[in-house]
Amino acid sequence: MGKYGMEYPEVETPDPATDPTPVEPSAPDAPVGFWGAEGTGAQTGAAVLDEVRAWLARFVSTMRDTDLDLLVLWAAHTHLVKETYTTPRLVIDSPVHGSGKTTVLEHLERLCIAPVQMAALSSPALLARMLDAGLRTILIDEADRSLDPKKEGIAELLAILNSGYKRGGTRPVLTPSKGGEWTVKEMPTFSPVAMAGNNPQLPEDTKSRCIRVLLLPDLTGTVEESDWELIDDDARNIGYRLATWAEHVRDEVRLKRPPLPDGVTGRNRERYSPLKRVAAAAGGRWPAVVDELALHDLEQQQLDREDGMIRTRPAVALLNHLHDLWPQGENFVPTAELVTQLILEHPDEWGDGSPFGRALTAQRFGRMLATSYGINSTRLERTGPRGYTRASLETTWKRMGIGGAPVIPDPQKETGASGASGETGALDVAQSSDDDSLPRPASGARRPLPTDETGRPMPCPDCGRKPQHTVTCTWGLA
């Protein structure tokens, strides 16, 4: 019995009495080899992964050839999952029935560590109890129906699947104790999970933990039928060889952290790092394969955003839109003007037709900035309108990767000898007395800017700004 409840085959090594050929020690960075099944000789990890890929290619038709590589690496990582710390959820997707999703799960059942079909689990509590007894690979078929968030109890199951993405995830479970009492025990949820379905509608937090393989029907008959009565033993032998190799490289996978391409960070790094560690232990072409998979995933995410398939969270969209519409060179904009401009520029997001059901208000606008980013409104003058300074937003813009404009100092108020601001006090820093040659605008109400045919304000005829004028602009003043 091997580690984590997996039964591994005995590793056969040559007998020195019958094979006197001296064996030189491997170089420190050479691929780890092991003695495979009888008659196969010494094998490297790359050779084992290549064998698994060739096997899957006989029976599985993927949209992209690299999806076969992804299936191989994911199956291999299940045997080393406690060494990789995180385990990406595998989604086997297809737009139509008859594309081979169940077939892929059947092959994974023979390649992965301690597999269990989700149909055998009657409740989330049973799943946690089963994982408490030992690591398992969870295989879920018909995920478009069995993981429908609208069904009763599925939210709790999805919470377990999400928490089990990283080592250390647990779920409290009531267990019987002496005297008929019940005690709470934290049971593990960490486990590899593969889900197959026709475009399963998973929650965003679950999707962010997934890697996707797309299948299409094999209309040309290029792949073979998976007749398990004939191929079951062969498939399980390949799985045993994969498990045996994994046992030999366990320490290497645990200790080494091979780099990923630039830009593969955060959740993307957590998804692809386990595969890269397995690939690095295998050697050959496999490390480059993971880099290609990760970069293609980043590109696909960007295309999905551009096509509107990934919906930006409202607080993040608000921050982006504020950056886009902020008047150039202005340090302060009243809240009312920002809200009006957001509704005009992005009516689908902030107008009456928004997902929220009604137009953005100043109160909701302020609440979103305060609760999400700790940014609060302010007044530049005691009786002036409340609004926001560019400096209060600039740091958050930079931390969120929005724009790249230099930080503009926050306008401050200085007081004169009387302690009050205004004509008898000091000027705003933005209109400081350092340049007394600047004309000051006349006081009074300003006419609204002219609008275009869509009702959106046009730039000021004098200063060219919208919705805020420059401090010297006199257009529209009484």
Side-chain angles (χ1 to χ4, degrees):
M1 183 70 69
K3 217 170 186 180
Y4 314 128
M6 181 70 181
E7 186 175 346
Y8 296 104
E10 294 293 331
V11 180
E12 299 180 6
T13 56
D15 186 350
T18 59
D19 185 3
T21 306
V23 178
E24 295 183 3
S26 299
D29 294 328
V32 175
F34 71 100
W35 210 258
E38 184 177 356
T40 62
Q43 293 181 286
T44 64
V48 174
L49 297 191
D50 287 342
E51 181 185 14
V52 177
R53 190 192 191 281
W55 175 263
L56 289 175
R58 287 176 54 189
F59 305 100
V60 178
S61 176
T62 58
M63 180 69 175
R64 300 168 60 240
D65 284 343
T66 50
D67 282 347
L68 284 173
D69 297 323
L70 182 54
L71 288 173
V72 172
L73 289 162
W74 192 86
H77 109 284
T78 66
H79 298 278
L80 296 160
V81 71
K82 290 205 172 179
E83 282 69 36
T84 63
Y85 191 76
T86 58
T87 170
R89 276 63 185 100
L90 176 66
V91 174
I92 305 159
D93 196 2
S94 175
V96 294
H97 295 283
S99 299
K101 298 179 296 297
T102 301
T103 298
V104 173
L105 288 182
E106 290 172 345
H107 281 274
L108 291 177
E109 188 176 359
R110 289 151 176 88
L111 296 172
C112 297
I113 188 172
V116 59
Q117 289 282 351
M118 191 67 196
L121 304 175
S122 59
S123 70
L126 177 58
L127 174 59
R129 293 177 191 275
M130 181 186 64
L131 294 175
D132 189 45
L135 185 69
R136 306 296 296 270
T137 299
I138 301 171
L139 306 176
I140 305 173
D141 204 358
E142 307 293 345
D144 47 318
R145 294 198 298 267
S146 58
L147 291 182
D148 184 353
K150 299 175 184 177
K151 294 175 64 175
E152 185 178 355
I154 296 303
E156 185 180 2
L157 178 59
L158 287 170
I160 291 180
L161 297 180
N162 287 346
S163 68
Y165 166 79
K166 284 185 180 180
R167 194 172 65 196
T170 61
R171 177 190 188 275
V173 176
L174 286 174
T175 58
S177 59
K178 294 181 179 179
E181 300 293 330
W182 292 85
T183 58
V184 176
K185 179 181 179 181
E186 292 289 336
M187 293 188 176
T189 57
F190 181 62
S191 63
V193 177
M195 300 169 272
N198 295 321
N199 299 141
Q201 300 302 306
L202 300 172
E204 288 297 330
D205 54 351
T206 304
K207 286 183 181 179
S208 69
R209 294 166 165 85
C210 294
I211 53 178
R212 179 173 175 251
V213 167
L214 180 60
L215 306 180
L216 292 177
D218 176 33
L219 300 180
T220 60
T222 56
V223 298
E224 302 175 30
E225 291 285 339
S226 295
D227 188 340
W228 292 111
E229 187 177 358
L230 299 177
I231 68 173
D232 186 66
D233 288 344
D234 290 339
R236 294 189 185 278
N237 285 335
I238 292 175
Y240 279 135
R241 287 197 285 279
L242 183 62
T244 302
W245 168 75
E247 191 70 8
H248 279 79
V249 298
R250 197 172 295 284
D251 288 340
E252 180 182 356
V253 171
R254 177 173 56 84
L255 296 173
K256 289 189 177 181
R257 302 288 299 276
L260 287 163
D262 293 341
V264 184
T265 59
R267 187 57 61 81
N268 290 315
R269 179 188 60 79
E270 291 179 346
R271 290 185 298 129
Y272 283 97
S273 180
L275 306 186
K276 185 62 177 286
R277 292 165 80 168
V278 171
R285 69 183 186 89
W286 290 96
V289 165
V290 178
D291 290 346
E292 180 185 350
L293 288 168
L295 291 174
H296 178 269
D297 198 341
L298 286 182
E299 181 182 355
Q300 188 63 49
Q301 290 174 38
Q302 181 60 33
L303 293 174
D304 288 347
R305 290 190 189 94
E306 293 174 1
D307 289 343
M309 295 174 61
I310 299 178
R311 182 171 179 81
T312 305
R313 292 180 181 274
V316 178
L318 178 63
L319 208 60
N320 278 282
H321 294 163
L322 277 177
H323 181 274
D324 293 342
L325 63 80
W326 193 275
Q328 186 176 1
E330 295 299 331
N331 295 321
F332 175 85
V333 182
T335 302
E337 293 188 20
L338 291 174
V339 171
T340 298
Q341 197 67 14
L342 283 167
I343 294 173
L344 290 174
E345 296 283 349
H346 304 279
D348 292 340
E349 191 78 33
W350 307 113
D352 288 327
S354 69
F356 193 71
R358 56 180 180 273
L360 182 67
T361 64
Q363 290 75 19
R364 180 175 168 233
F365 174 86
R367 186 166 57 249
M368 290 174 70
L369 288 178
T371 57
S372 298
Y373 308 109
I375 299 172
N376 296 98
S377 62
T378 186
R379 284 193 178 98
L380 294 188
E381 296 183 2
R382 195 168 301 166
T383 58
R386 297 196 71 87
Y388 292 83
T389 63
R390 186 180 181 93
S392 68
L393 293 159
E394 196 74 47
T395 299
T396 306
W397 279 336
K398 286 189 173 183
R399 292 292 298 274
M400 294 291 289
I402 300 172
V407 175
I408 298 178
D410 200 353
Q412 300 176 15
K413 299 299 293 184
E414 295 181 1
T415 56
S418 65
S421 61
E423 294 182 2
T424 59
L427 302 176
D428 291 358
V429 173
Q431 340 169 177
S432 69
S433 57
D434 291 342
D435 189 356
D436 292 332
S437 63
L438 289 175
R440 300 296 303 279
S443 60
R446 192 189 295 269
R447 296 200 311 274
L449 287 170
T451 58
D452 59 19
E453 62 275 8
T454 66
R456 298 182 179 181
M458 299 174 63
C460 171
D462 280 359
C463 66
R465 304 282 174 79
K466 67 170 186 175
Q468 190 82 354
H469 301 267
T470 63
V471 295
T472 60
C473 180
T474 59
W475 185 91
L477 287 172

